[in-house]
Amino acid sequence: MEATDRKILQLLAEDGRMSYTDLGKATGLSTSAVHQRVKRLEQRGLITGYGATVNYAAIGVPLTAFVAVQPMDPSQPDDCPERVADLNEVEACWSIAGVESYMLKVRVATPEALEELLGRIRSVANVSTRTTIAMYTYYENRPTLTH
């Protein structure tokens, strides 16, 4: 990938609402040239979406936890992501290496809500869980394209 495309990706990762005009000023391209490049980056799958940074505490779900899951029966189908997909509190699901098979990032309102969610996860996915509660988030969703 060339440097200009990488710069566009970096700028949009920092501010997904940046205008084509501002992107052009930052990269030395015309507005139409930036628009074409962004469309190509989207078509190539390098830009997969745009989103907002949400204040989760302000909307009533201040508790973030990471739930490592391990199948109760290793011979069961490896379909945990599909089984937990309908649980709205599950924000992300990663396949991981190690004792556990998946790591879930969840957001809930209270410790009691977390306990109830863990029961639902165990039930729908037939897994055991190991949970870590985040005490404070210093930064999240930080763009890492400067490499």
Side-chain angles (χ1 to χ4, degrees):
M1 175 183 353
E2 66 178 85
T4 303
D5 286 344
R6 185 172 291 279
K7 179 70 173 173
I8 291 170
L9 289 173
Q10 178 69 37
L11 291 165
L12 287 174
E14 292 170 4
D15 179 4
R17 296 181 64 174
M18 189 174 227
S19 71
Y20 293 127
T21 301
D22 290 339
L23 285 169
K25 289 176 185 173
T27 58
L29 297 173
S30 69
T31 301
S32 62
V34 167
H35 183 263
Q36 289 174 351
R37 281 181 181 255
V38 169
K39 289 300 174 200
R40 276 199 309 263
L41 291 168
E42 291 170 347
Q43 290 167 348
R44 291 173 49 202
L46 296 173
I47 296 174
T48 59
Y50 300 87
T53 301
V54 176
N55 180 339
Y56 290 99
I59 64 169
V61 286
L63 195 153
T64 302
F66 297 92
V67 181
V69 299
Q70 179 178 2
M72 295 295 277
D73 177 4
S75 66
Q76 75 184 36
D78 187 13
D79 59 356
C80 180
E82 292 83 9
R83 289 175 176 247
V84 301
D86 291 334
L87 301 176
N88 292 332
E89 300 92 339
V90 177
E91 180 179 306
C93 175
W94 297 282
S95 175
I96 59 173
V99 175
E100 288 91 2
S101 301
Y102 295 95
M103 181 68 68
L104 309 177
K105 180 181 180 183
V106 303
R107 293 190 193 270
V108 294
T110 64
E112 294 80 15
L114 177 60
E115 184 174 30
E116 186 271 332
L117 174 62
L118 291 173
R120 285 190 288 137
I121 290 169
R122 290 182 195 117
S123 175
V124 300
N126 192 32
V127 295
S128 63
T129 61
R130 185 175 54 83
T131 304
T132 302
I133 295 174
M135 301 299 288
Y136 185 80
T137 301
Y138 292 96
Y139 48 84
E140 183 174 43
N141 300 324
R142 183 171 63 174
T144 58
L145 297 172
T146 57
H147 301 94

